[in-house]
Amino acid sequence: KRLREQQRKVIYIVPEKGHEYRPLCEAVGGQFIKLGPSSPDCIGLMDIRRLKASPYAAQNGGTQRRESLLAEKVSWLSVWYSLQKRNLSEEDMNYIDASLIECYGRRGITFDNASLFEEDGVTIQETKHLSVILTRYVSGSAASMGGHTNVDTENPYIVIDLTDIPDDLQLATVYAATGFATDITVQNGDVGTALLSDELWKLLGANSNPLAADYTMRMVKLIRSQGGVAGVTSQGMADMMALDGGKYGKGILDSCRIKFIMQMEEQEARLVQNILN
Protein backbone atom coordinates (compact mmCIF):
# COMPACT_ATOMS: atom_id res chain seq x y z
CA LYS A 1 0.00 0.00 0.00
CA ARG A 2 2.83 2.38 0.85
CA LEU A 3 4.50 1.66 -2.50
CA ARG A 4 1.23 2.42 -4.28
CA GLU A 5 0.93 5.72 -2.37
CA GLN A 6 4.36 6.58 -3.80
CA GLN A 7 2.70 6.33 -7.25
CA ARG A 8 4.52 3.11 -8.08
CA LYS A 9 2.78 0.40 -10.04
CA VAL A 10 2.49 -2.74 -7.90
CA ILE A 11 2.24 -6.34 -9.10
CA TYR A 12 1.90 -9.16 -6.59
CA ILE A 13 2.23 -12.87 -7.44
CA VAL A 14 0.62 -15.02 -4.75
CA PRO A 15 0.88 -18.83 -5.11
CA GLU A 16 -1.12 -19.50 -1.92
CA LYS A 17 -3.82 -17.84 0.23
CA GLY A 18 -4.64 -15.23 -2.36
CA HIS A 19 -7.84 -14.30 -0.52
CA GLU A 20 -5.71 -12.55 2.11
CA TYR A 21 -4.64 -9.97 -0.50
CA ARG A 22 -8.05 -9.33 -2.02
CA PRO A 23 -9.48 -6.79 0.48
CA LEU A 24 -6.58 -4.33 0.06
CA CYS A 25 -6.51 -4.86 -3.70
CA GLU A 26 -10.20 -3.95 -3.98
CA ALA A 27 -9.86 -1.08 -1.49
CA VAL A 28 -7.30 0.67 -3.72
CA GLY A 29 -9.24 -0.08 -6.91
CA GLY A 30 -6.80 -2.75 -8.02
CA GLN A 31 -7.20 -5.69 -10.41
CA PHE A 32 -7.47 -9.07 -8.68
CA ILE A 33 -6.62 -11.82 -11.16
CA LYS A 34 -7.27 -15.45 -10.26
CA LEU A 35 -5.58 -17.93 -12.54
CA GLY A 36 -6.74 -21.53 -12.71
CA PRO A 37 -8.72 -24.04 -14.78
CA SER A 38 -12.04 -22.87 -13.31
CA SER A 39 -11.38 -19.11 -13.40
CA PRO A 40 -12.69 -16.79 -16.13
CA ASP A 41 -9.53 -14.64 -15.82
CA CYS A 42 -6.88 -15.32 -18.45
CA ILE A 43 -3.41 -14.03 -19.29
CA GLY A 44 -2.56 -15.10 -22.85
CA LEU A 45 0.70 -17.03 -22.87
CA MET A 46 1.55 -16.09 -26.46
CA ASP A 47 0.82 -12.36 -26.20
CA ILE A 48 3.76 -10.14 -27.13
CA ARG A 49 3.50 -7.22 -24.70
CA ARG A 50 6.89 -5.50 -24.81
CA LEU A 51 6.21 -3.04 -27.62
CA LYS A 52 7.97 0.09 -26.33
CA ALA A 53 11.57 1.07 -26.74
CA SER A 54 14.10 -0.80 -24.64
CA PRO A 55 14.49 0.14 -20.95
CA TYR A 56 17.76 1.84 -21.81
CA ALA A 57 16.43 3.87 -24.78
CA ALA A 58 16.33 7.06 -22.73
CA GLN A 59 20.06 6.74 -22.17
CA ASN A 60 20.63 6.34 -25.91
CA GLY A 61 18.69 9.30 -27.20
CA GLY A 62 15.39 7.43 -27.39
CA THR A 63 16.54 4.94 -30.03
CA GLN A 64 13.96 2.21 -30.62
CA ARG A 65 14.95 -1.35 -29.79
CA ARG A 66 16.25 -3.32 -32.77
CA GLU A 67 16.28 -6.84 -31.38
CA SER A 68 13.39 -9.06 -32.46
CA LEU A 69 10.43 -9.15 -30.08
CA LEU A 70 9.31 -12.43 -31.65
CA ALA A 71 12.68 -14.08 -30.99
CA GLU A 72 12.50 -12.91 -27.37
CA LYS A 73 8.98 -14.33 -26.96
CA VAL A 74 9.82 -17.65 -28.61
CA SER A 75 12.78 -18.04 -26.25
CA TRP A 76 10.50 -17.36 -23.25
CA LEU A 77 7.86 -19.82 -24.47
CA SER A 78 10.49 -22.53 -24.99
CA VAL A 79 11.43 -22.27 -21.30
CA TRP A 80 7.73 -22.37 -20.31
CA TYR A 81 7.38 -25.54 -22.37
CA SER A 82 10.40 -27.12 -20.69
CA LEU A 83 8.59 -26.77 -17.34
CA GLN A 84 5.66 -28.79 -18.72
CA LYS A 85 7.63 -31.63 -20.28
CA ARG A 86 10.78 -32.77 -18.53
CA ASN A 87 14.08 -33.78 -20.07
CA LEU A 88 13.55 -32.25 -23.50
CA SER A 89 16.36 -33.03 -25.90
CA GLU A 90 18.13 -30.40 -27.97
CA GLU A 91 16.28 -31.80 -30.97
CA ASP A 92 12.94 -31.31 -29.17
CA MET A 93 13.84 -27.71 -28.30
CA ASN A 94 14.69 -27.02 -31.93
CA TYR A 95 11.34 -28.44 -33.06
CA ILE A 96 9.52 -26.28 -30.51
CA ASP A 97 11.42 -23.20 -31.68
CA ALA A 98 10.59 -23.86 -35.34
CA SER A 99 6.93 -24.67 -34.62
CA LEU A 100 6.42 -21.48 -32.62
CA ILE A 101 7.95 -19.35 -35.37
CA GLU A 102 5.66 -21.06 -37.91
CA CYS A 103 2.64 -20.51 -35.65
CA TYR A 104 3.31 -16.77 -35.32
CA GLY A 105 4.09 -16.60 -39.03
CA ARG A 106 0.57 -17.79 -39.84
CA ARG A 107 -0.65 -14.64 -38.10
CA GLY A 108 1.74 -12.47 -40.08
CA ILE A 109 4.17 -11.95 -37.19
CA THR A 110 7.82 -12.20 -38.19
CA PHE A 111 11.23 -11.23 -36.78
CA ASP A 112 10.57 -7.73 -38.14
CA ASN A 113 9.03 -5.82 -35.21
CA ALA A 114 6.94 -3.77 -37.64
CA SER A 115 4.87 -6.90 -38.35
CA LEU A 116 3.39 -6.67 -34.85
CA PHE A 117 1.51 -3.53 -35.77
CA GLU A 118 0.02 -4.66 -39.09
CA GLU A 119 -3.63 -5.62 -39.58
CA ASP A 120 -4.46 -8.48 -39.70
CA GLY A 121 0.92 -25.23 -42.84
CA VAL A 122 1.23 -28.33 -41.75
CA THR A 123 2.75 -29.61 -38.45
CA ILE A 124 5.74 -31.87 -38.94
CA GLN A 125 5.47 -35.45 -37.69
CA GLU A 126 8.23 -35.16 -35.10
CA THR A 127 6.32 -32.65 -32.94
CA LYS A 128 3.26 -34.78 -32.22
CA HIS A 129 4.72 -36.04 -28.94
CA LEU A 130 5.33 -32.41 -27.97
CA SER A 131 2.01 -30.91 -29.07
CA VAL A 132 0.04 -33.30 -26.87
CA ILE A 133 1.24 -31.25 -23.87
CA LEU A 134 -0.82 -28.30 -25.15
CA THR A 135 -4.08 -30.26 -25.49
CA ARG A 136 -4.96 -29.46 -21.90
CA TYR A 137 -4.77 -25.72 -22.67
CA VAL A 138 -6.65 -25.95 -25.97
CA SER A 139 -9.54 -28.36 -25.37
CA GLY A 140 -8.90 -29.89 -21.96
CA SER A 141 -9.53 -28.95 -18.32
CA ALA A 142 -7.23 -25.90 -18.47
CA ALA A 143 -8.68 -24.45 -21.69
CA SER A 144 -9.68 -21.28 -19.83
CA MET A 145 -5.97 -20.61 -19.26
CA GLY A 146 -5.12 -20.86 -22.96
CA GLY A 147 -7.35 -18.10 -24.33
CA HIS A 148 -6.95 -14.39 -24.99
CA THR A 149 -5.89 -11.99 -22.26
CA ASN A 150 -9.06 -10.55 -20.70
CA VAL A 151 -7.70 -8.62 -17.69
CA ASP A 152 -6.76 -4.97 -17.24
CA THR A 153 -2.98 -4.85 -17.57
CA GLU A 154 -2.97 -1.06 -17.16
CA ASN A 155 -4.30 -1.12 -13.58
CA PRO A 156 -1.64 0.28 -11.21
CA TYR A 157 -2.26 -2.38 -8.54
CA ILE A 158 -2.45 -6.01 -9.70
CA VAL A 159 -2.69 -9.17 -7.61
CA ILE A 160 -2.24 -12.49 -9.43
CA ASP A 161 -3.68 -15.30 -7.30
CA LEU A 162 -2.50 -18.84 -8.12
CA THR A 163 -4.07 -20.57 -5.11
CA ASP A 164 -6.16 -23.19 -6.95
CA ILE A 165 -3.64 -24.18 -9.61
CA PRO A 166 -3.17 -28.01 -9.72
CA ASP A 167 0.23 -29.15 -8.50
CA ASP A 168 1.35 -30.33 -11.92
CA LEU A 169 0.57 -26.94 -13.49
CA GLN A 170 1.79 -24.69 -10.69
CA LEU A 171 5.43 -24.34 -11.74
CA ALA A 172 4.56 -23.41 -15.33
CA THR A 173 1.86 -21.00 -14.11
CA VAL A 174 4.20 -19.25 -11.66
CA TYR A 175 6.63 -18.83 -14.54
CA ALA A 176 3.85 -17.49 -16.80
CA ALA A 177 2.71 -15.00 -14.14
CA THR A 178 6.31 -13.89 -13.57
CA GLY A 179 6.83 -13.38 -17.30
CA PHE A 180 3.62 -11.36 -17.52
CA ALA A 181 4.70 -9.20 -14.58
CA THR A 182 8.16 -8.65 -16.06
CA ASP A 183 6.64 -7.57 -19.39
CA ILE A 184 4.39 -5.06 -17.62
CA THR A 185 7.36 -3.79 -15.60
CA VAL A 186 9.43 -3.17 -18.73
CA GLN A 187 6.48 -1.53 -20.49
CA ASN A 188 6.01 0.76 -17.50
CA GLY A 189 9.43 2.29 -18.11
CA ASP A 190 10.91 4.67 -15.57
CA VAL A 191 7.99 4.75 -13.13
CA GLY A 192 9.69 2.07 -11.02
CA THR A 193 7.22 -0.80 -10.78
CA ALA A 194 7.23 -2.96 -7.64
CA LEU A 195 7.01 -6.71 -8.28
CA LEU A 196 6.35 -8.59 -5.04
CA SER A 197 6.55 -12.35 -5.40
CA ASP A 198 5.61 -14.71 -2.60
CA GLU A 199 7.33 -18.11 -2.73
CA LEU A 200 9.41 -17.31 -5.80
CA TRP A 201 11.57 -20.25 -4.79
CA LYS A 202 9.28 -22.47 -6.89
CA LEU A 203 11.22 -21.28 -9.94
CA LEU A 204 14.54 -21.89 -8.18
CA GLY A 205 13.75 -25.18 -6.43
CA ALA A 206 14.58 -28.77 -7.24
CA ASN A 207 11.46 -29.20 -9.42
CA SER A 208 12.40 -26.30 -11.68
CA ASN A 209 15.18 -26.21 -14.25
CA PRO A 210 18.23 -23.99 -14.94
CA LEU A 211 16.51 -22.18 -17.83
CA ALA A 212 13.61 -20.96 -15.66
CA ALA A 213 15.87 -20.22 -12.70
CA ASP A 214 18.24 -18.16 -14.86
CA TYR A 215 15.30 -16.19 -16.28
CA THR A 216 14.07 -15.45 -12.75
CA MET A 217 17.49 -14.24 -11.62
CA ARG A 218 17.83 -11.97 -14.67
CA MET A 219 14.29 -10.65 -14.10
CA VAL A 220 15.17 -9.47 -10.58
CA LYS A 221 18.31 -7.72 -11.87
CA LEU A 222 16.36 -6.10 -14.75
CA ILE A 223 13.76 -4.64 -12.40
CA ARG A 224 16.46 -3.21 -10.14
CA SER A 225 18.31 -1.71 -13.11
CA GLN A 226 15.12 0.17 -14.02
CA GLY A 227 14.75 1.68 -10.58
CA GLY A 228 11.97 -0.73 -9.67
CA VAL A 229 11.40 -2.82 -6.56
CA ALA A 230 11.71 -6.62 -6.56
CA GLY A 231 10.45 -8.13 -3.32
CA VAL A 232 11.10 -11.86 -2.91
CA THR A 233 9.89 -13.91 0.07
CA SER A 234 10.28 -17.54 1.06
CA GLN A 235 9.73 -19.62 4.17
CA GLY A 236 12.41 -22.10 3.14
CA MET A 237 15.94 -21.00 2.34
CA ALA A 238 16.83 -24.60 1.52
CA ASP A 239 14.23 -24.58 -1.26
CA MET A 240 15.78 -21.48 -2.83
CA MET A 241 19.19 -23.19 -2.80
CA ALA A 242 18.05 -26.56 -4.15
CA LEU A 243 19.08 -26.11 -7.80
CA ASP A 244 22.69 -26.32 -9.03
CA GLY A 245 24.15 -25.94 -5.56
CA GLY A 246 22.21 -22.74 -4.84
CA LYS A 247 23.70 -20.82 -7.78
CA TYR A 248 20.44 -19.07 -8.69
CA GLY A 249 19.13 -18.50 -5.18
CA LYS A 250 22.47 -16.98 -4.22
CA GLY A 251 22.35 -14.79 -7.32
CA ILE A 252 18.99 -13.34 -6.28
CA LEU A 253 20.12 -12.82 -2.69
CA ASP A 254 23.22 -11.01 -3.92
CA SER A 255 20.96 -8.71 -5.96
CA CYS A 256 18.87 -7.76 -2.91
CA ARG A 257 20.12 -4.60 -1.25
CA ILE A 258 17.92 -5.15 1.82
CA LYS A 259 17.39 -8.52 3.50
CA PHE A 260 15.01 -9.30 6.37
CA ILE A 261 15.62 -12.55 8.25
CA MET A 262 12.65 -13.70 10.33
CA GLN A 263 12.45 -16.42 12.98
CA MET A 264 13.32 -19.87 11.62
CA GLU A 265 14.31 -23.37 12.66
CA GLU A 266 17.92 -24.03 13.64
CA GLN A 267 18.81 -25.94 10.46
CA GLU A 268 17.49 -23.13 8.27
CA ALA A 269 19.23 -20.54 10.46
CA ARG A 270 22.60 -22.28 10.02
CA LEU A 271 22.06 -22.36 6.24
CA VAL A 272 21.33 -18.62 6.21
CA GLN A 273 24.37 -17.99 8.40
CA ASN A 274 26.55 -19.85 5.92
CA ILE A 275 25.07 -18.17 2.81
CA LEU A 276 25.09 -14.61 4.17
CA ASN A 277 28.29 -14.94 6.18
Side-chain angles (χ1 to χ4, degrees):
K1 182 182 177 184
R2 185 169 296 169
L3 288 166
R4 182 69 203 102
E5 288 173 348
Q6 294 172 359
Q7 303 305 306
R8 290 182 180 268
K9 184 162 186 165
V10 177
I11 305 176
Y12 218 122
I13 300 175
V14 190
E16 298 175 4
K17 300 180 181 178
H19 64 276
E20 296 179 352
Y21 300 81
R22 189 159 199 158
L24 175 58
C25 182
E26 293 179 344
V28 299
Q31 168 91 85
F32 189 89
I33 301 170
K34 188 172 181 63
L35 297 186
S38 61
S39 172
D41 297 335
C42 182
I43 294 173
L45 289 169
M46 297 185 73
D47 285 359
I48 296 178
R49 302 183 184 87
R50 300 191 194 183
L51 302 177
K52 291 184 179 178
S54 74
Y56 309 103
Q59 302 171 16
N60 299 315
T63 304
Q64 292 294 313
R65 62 190 303 162
R66 295 180 180 176
E67 66 270 26
S68 170
L69 292 166
L70 173 61
E72 186 178 294
K73 188 65 180 184
V74 167
S75 176
W76 183 88
L77 281 167
S78 296
V79 177
W80 175 84
Y81 208 103
S82 72
L83 293 171
Q84 297 273 17
K85 187 174 177 61
R86 304 281 174 174
N87 302 318
L88 290 171
S89 66
E90 288 189 23
E91 186 178 26
D92 287 336
M93 292 296 282
N94 285 328
Y95 282 137
I96 290 170
D97 187 272
S99 296
L100 285 168
I101 292 170
E102 178 187 344
C103 183
Y104 278 106
R106 292 180 183 182
R107 289 287 183 177
I109 298 173
T110 68
F111 291 115
D112 181 358
N113 290 340
S115 66
L116 291 165
F117 301 96
E118 295 173 358
E119 293 294 331
D120 219 282
V122 180
T123 303
I124 55 178
Q125 181 73 24
E126 293 87 344
T127 60
K128 284 189 174 180
H129 71 291
L130 300 172
S131 62
V132 78
I133 296 294
L134 302 178
T135 303
R136 194 170 182 181
Y137 293 93
V138 177
S139 57
S141 60
S144 63
M145 299 173 66
H148 293 287
T149 299
N150 61 5
V151 297
D152 178 16
T153 61
E154 297 298 321
N155 195 297
Y157 193 99
I158 298 174
V159 175
I160 304 175
D161 176 21
L162 312 180
T163 302
D164 295 327
I165 297 291
D167 289 345
D168 60 330
L169 292 182
Q170 192 166 79
L171 190 59
T173 307
V174 170
Y175 177 75
T178 304
F180 167 79
T182 306
D183 285 345
I184 299 301
T185 299
V186 173
Q187 278 290 91
N188 210 35
D190 298 329
V191 177
T193 299
L195 172 58
L196 309 175
S197 187
D198 207 358
E199 304 297 332
L200 191 70
W201 64 266
K202 292 180 188 295
L203 292 175
L204 309 172
N207 291 327
S208 186
N209 65 41
L211 293 173
D214 182 66
Y215 171 85
T216 306
M217 184 172 66
R218 287 188 289 110
M219 173 209 71
V220 171
K221 293 181 178 180
L222 172 64
I223 292 172
R224 282 207 58 191
S225 71
Q226 287 192 261
V229 175
V232 180
T233 63
S234 177
Q235 293 183 10
M237 185 65 73
D239 293 321
M240 286 191 69
M241 299 294 155
L243 195 64
D244 282 2
K247 169 184 174 182
Y248 303 102
K250 186 71 163 58
I252 286 183
L253 283 174
D254 289 344
S255 298
C256 294
R257 187 169 61 89
I258 301 172
K259 304 174 183 68
F260 290 98
I261 304 174
M262 314 297 281
Q263 184 176 358
M264 58 184 66
E265 298 298 323
E266 181 178 350
Q267 185 175 358
E268 286 280 308
R270 292 192 181 281
L271 178 60
V272 171
Q273 184 181 44
N274 181 54
I275 292 170
L276 299 182
N277 242 355

